Amino acid sequence: MAEKYQSREERRKQHSSAKQKSKGKKQPKGIFKRILLILIALGIAGMLIGAGAFAFMVKDAPKLDEKALKDPISSKFLDKDGNAFTEVGLENREYVNYEDIPKLVENAFLATEDVRFYKHNGMDIIRLGGAVLANVTRGFGSEGASTITQQVVKNSFLNNEKTLSRKAQEAWLAFQLERKYTKEQIFEMYVNKIWMAQRSHGVLTASHIYFGKELDELELHEAALLAGMPQSPENYNPFKHPERAEKRRNIVLSLMNQHGFITKEEMEAAQLIPVESSLVKEEDRKQNDAPYDSFVDIVIEEVERKYPDLDISSDGLIIHTTLDTKAQDYVENMLNSNDVVQFPNEEFQAGITLLDTKTGEIRAIGGGRNLEVKRGFNYAVDSRRQAGSTIKPIIDYGPAIEYLKWGTYYTLDDKPYTYSNGKAINNWDRKHMGQMSLREALARSRNIPALQTLQAVGLDKAKEFTNKLGIPIEEVYESSSIGTVNVSPLQMAGAYSAFGNNGFYTEPHAITEIEMRDGTKINTTPESEAVMQDYTAFMISDVLKSVVKDSFGTGKRANVSNLHLAGKTGTSNYSSEEKEKWQIQNGGVPDIWFAGYTTNYTAAIWTGYKDRSSSIAPGDQGIAQLLFKNLMSHVSQGIETPDFTMPKSVEKIAIEKGTMPAKLASDFTPKDQIIYEYAVKGHAPKEISDAYEKLDLPGNLAGTFDELANEILLTWEYPEERTDVQFEVIASLDDGADQSLQILSEKGIKVANPVPGGIYRFKVIAISGELRSDPATVTVEIPLPDFDDDEFGDGEPMDDYPDDTDENEQPGNNENPPGNGQGNGQGNGNGNGNSQGNGNPPGNVDDPDTDENPEGSNG
């Protein structure tokens, strides 16, 4: 019974446990249902909220306007004073109907822009999903998902801000557009609206401009190039950037193959064709008839580079630029005529950039001479030519002052020298000038001191300094010290303006503000950056003033009188191989530069030929300086141009010439041996030069008249340890002119036969080599003789000086006392009072150690 009972109890417990487990299993199902219901409710609420938000965002969306769909709205360009000077967007547009668009062209655009164009209703959900993922992982706006329909809407009605509101409006309008128009009509709108660079709209216009062909004449590689351009028209402009255009074209060809429009063999064959092979020849391209084309070129590129979502050609923008139309007119006249400068031929080229020194605003651009191609090569911006010596303030001397705190006096040695690898370096004249200051080395444009300076600074520091000035260089070499860096006039002007602006660099820019159609404004002015100390900027500026103003400067032809101006010349050279290959004439060079500035304007000018194989003849190598001189003179008329102000971090010091290392001038340094230079405060030389230190003056100088011997005796003292010293004796009579009597080693001298009644002033100066002491002085007065009025008893008064002479005397002149100033004891006693026949003062000069009455001394 007990066992049965236990079994029933066990069965009951087991049954109870099973029921509890069964209840536990049913409980999660209830929670899941609740969560699902909550999610559904949240989803519905989210949809309602989203729909409400979407409705709110699209409520202000513009209406579909058929005219706006077909005609892009041009953008206005205003100069610095707010005056409109051109419009961009309506210059070139040829319309093509859908039925005239070849399938090859359509496929190229579909593969590139919207391969599912004929399958969606304005929004591509698959493409949108990929873009959403990219925006979540890389930030909002990092990748777009716009269909061709959306691009038509955006280019016609909306601005290019990447905001949720704008995207919502774009989607809403795209949906409406798809309902109102067919796919073919929308595609037609698209290919006629797109911006294709060269101030042109639409694929047909682009085909005419770039290939000179109708659409049905285009080959595969040409259609692919055009299809790749709308993403970034200026960057993929084949006239200006054929390498970029070719890379983009090859991507389009690969997309066409990927989506089944062409075979792999067709893709590879087309990719092998050089882009330039079928472009319209340069001489046949459309002539330039647009105002200020070189400047407009920069504006368009700047907008596209900084604001890639804006479309100048169709967005109806108002672009506030920095253009000074008067300066631009002058630049264009200067380059395209011989009114200002005489050019050697039509092929000679020049690139000019004029900036506002303080703001970095581009005032004028000289893109080249005799430009005939619309939006062609711009020598002020697109060219990269060796800078020559214009790079020296940037890569050598600027860093030396900035990091090593060298002063303008720092002494360098222009001597035979080599690069670190042992290769010799030469100056332009293959001569060496020895020790010179930093100022003179830069103003004379000596190469060897420049290399020494770069080596002292270090390549890394030089690179850091140069990059901060807007000249991007990946590597600095020792040869960079003398100008092997490739730059454009725009970059060079930007760098030099920082020196003129107390060390602040502002990126050169052509636009200050962009105004959208809806009134939204974008301030586009870049921030200024302190890229160097004010002492560096000031000292480089002061040294560069020597380039144009000092006799040894290389840029004197660029100087403008009465204008505080700093600048630097630059010349590149040919290698021996290039000279031989191109048969370069003697003295010919490929590039001549001049870059300079005032406190108001900065200009950089390059001159040369399109190809390095053509050289600038020696007689034409001053054109860059003349262009600079005339431009600066023109823009500076009627305005005040302050000088560069010395900052508190700088002190002016007197340096003795020829000291290495530099030493301060002493109180005894001759004026013609002193140069005034600048030092970073606290870093001036401490040592004073002793090269011109004065000797101690002779001590205890005494002069007495010995009436019996009729002579003056001078004596003095001098330290016995100075055995290298001699003494110059100088005398004057009765405030007459000084006369050097004798230079001797003894410390005394006799002067015989002085003039009775005369007042003698003697100077004794210690001399040792080039050193001289101050003079020790003494005055000796000679008494008149005491004669009786009637000494001969003849009743007649005595003359002061009787005509009678004794047997040892020579006849004298009653007007002049006897004696001479010779110190050799050979007095002639002729009574004319002259030394060596006409000397002054009278009297024989005797060494006190000789006989009291030397032979030939007479009274």
Side-chain angles (χ1 to χ4, degrees), residues 385 574 582 584 589-591 608-616:
R385 302 294 280 257
Y574 290 109
W582 294 321
I584 301 301
V589 297
D591 308 286
Y609 289 90
K610 178 181 178 181
D611 299 314
R612 277 176 56 89
S613 57
S614 298
S615 66
I616 307 174

Side-chain angles (χ1 to χ4, degrees), residues 541-847:
S541 296
D542 195 76
V543 170
L544 294 185
K545 288 167 72 173
S546 292
V547 172
V548 296
K549 300 201 180 279
D550 287 356
S551 59
F552 50 78
T554 59
K556 295 188 291 294
R557 279 179 289 187
N559 187 39
V560 180
S561 59
N562 302 319
L563 192 64
H564 301 295
L565 183 68
K568 184 71 186 75
T569 55
T571 305
S572 68
N573 295 294
Y574 290 109
S575 65
S576 300
E577 294 78 11
E578 287 174 328
K579 287 182 179 179
E580 182 177 355
K581 176 182 177 182
W582 294 321
Q583 296 296 299
I584 301 301
Q585 62 176 313
N586 289 335
V589 297
D591 308 286
I592 294 285
W593 290 79
F594 193 87
Y597 53 94
T598 66
T599 50
N600 292 329
Y601 293 102
T602 300
I605 296 173
W606 167 86
T607 58
Y609 289 90
K610 178 181 178 181
D611 299 314
R612 277 176 56 89
S613 57
S614 298
S615 66
I616 307 174
D620 302 324
Q621 293 174 11
I623 290 178
Q625 292 189 44
L626 295 178
L627 290 170
F628 178 89
K629 175 188 178 77
N630 284 282
L631 177 57
M632 275 296 182
S633 178
H634 176 79
V635 297
S636 300
Q637 288 177 0
I639 62 172
E640 183 181 356
T641 303
D643 199 358
F644 307 101
T645 304
M646 186 177 79
K648 294 180 180 179
S649 57
V650 173
E651 57 182 320
K652 191 173 185 178
I653 55 175
I655 297 292
E656 187 173 293
K657 288 182 182 178
T659 52
M660 184 174 182
K663 295 180 182 179
L664 297 173
S666 70
D667 293 338
F668 312 117
T669 304
K671 290 184 179 179
D672 63 354
Q673 295 301 309
I674 297 176
I675 54 175
Y676 290 93
E677 296 288 358
Y678 293 99
V680 179
K681 189 165 288 185
H683 293 269
K686 302 294 189 293
E687 189 175 354
I688 300 174
S689 173
D690 59 4
Y692 296 97
E693 185 179 79
K694 288 188 177 180
L695 298 172
D696 293 333
L697 54 78
N700 296 324
L701 175 63
T704 59
F705 173 64
D706 185 339
E707 188 173 1
L708 183 62
N710 193 27
E711 62 186 12
I712 299 171
L713 177 64
L714 295 178
T715 59
W716 58 86
E717 298 177 355
Y718 208 78
E720 295 294 334
E721 63 271 14
R722 294 300 300 261
T723 59
D724 59 333
V725 175
Q726 291 182 303
F727 305 96
E728 181 179 15
V729 180
I730 300 171
S732 64
L733 173 62
D734 295 334
D735 294 327
D738 284 347
Q739 178 184 325
S740 178
L741 300 183
Q742 192 172 347
I743 295 176
L744 67 166
S745 299
E746 290 76 15
K747 301 183 184 74
I749 190 173
K750 291 180 180 179
V751 181
N753 305 321
V755 176
I759 299 175
Y760 287 84
R761 181 177 176 83
F762 294 97
K763 299 177 183 178
V764 180
I765 299 172
I767 302 173
S768 178
E770 295 184 357
L771 299 181
R772 297 171 65 87
S773 72
D774 288 329
T777 61
V778 66
T779 300
V780 179
E781 185 173 353
I782 309 302
L784 289 170
D786 187 16
F787 292 115
D788 199 349
D789 282 346
D790 192 6
E791 183 176 344
F792 296 101
D794 59 1
E796 295 293 333
M798 280 283 295
D799 290 330
D800 287 342
Y801 297 99
D803 292 337
D804 305 62
T805 60
D806 62 21
E807 61 182 4
N808 293 322
E809 291 178 326
Q810 299 295 325
N813 187 322
N814 289 341
E815 297 297 321
N816 295 304
N820 73 21
Q822 285 282 46
N824 59 7
Q826 301 297 320
N828 59 23
N830 63 7
N832 64 6
N834 295 328
S835 175
Q836 297 181 348
N838 61 0
N840 182 23
N844 292 319
V845 181
D846 300 315
D847 191 302

Side-chain angles (χ1 to χ4, degrees), residues 159-208:
N159 61 43
N160 287 271
E161 293 178 339
K162 289 186 176 181
T163 62
L164 286 173
S165 176
R166 202 271 291 170
K167 282 292 183 183
Q169 291 180 4
E170 182 182 293
W172 171 247
L173 290 174
F175 177 71
Q176 286 187 306
L177 189 68
E178 290 270 352
R179 292 181 61 190
K180 187 172 182 179
Y181 296 95
T182 66
K183 287 287 188 181
E184 290 76 11
Q185 289 174 317
I186 294 171
F187 188 81
E188 179 181 312
M189 295 173 190
Y190 171 74
V191 295
N192 283 289
K193 185 178 287 290
I194 50 176
W195 173 244
M196 299 296 283
Q198 294 296 124
R199 298 193 185 175
S200 65
H201 287 280
V203 66
L204 177 57
T205 308
S207 182
H208 289 159

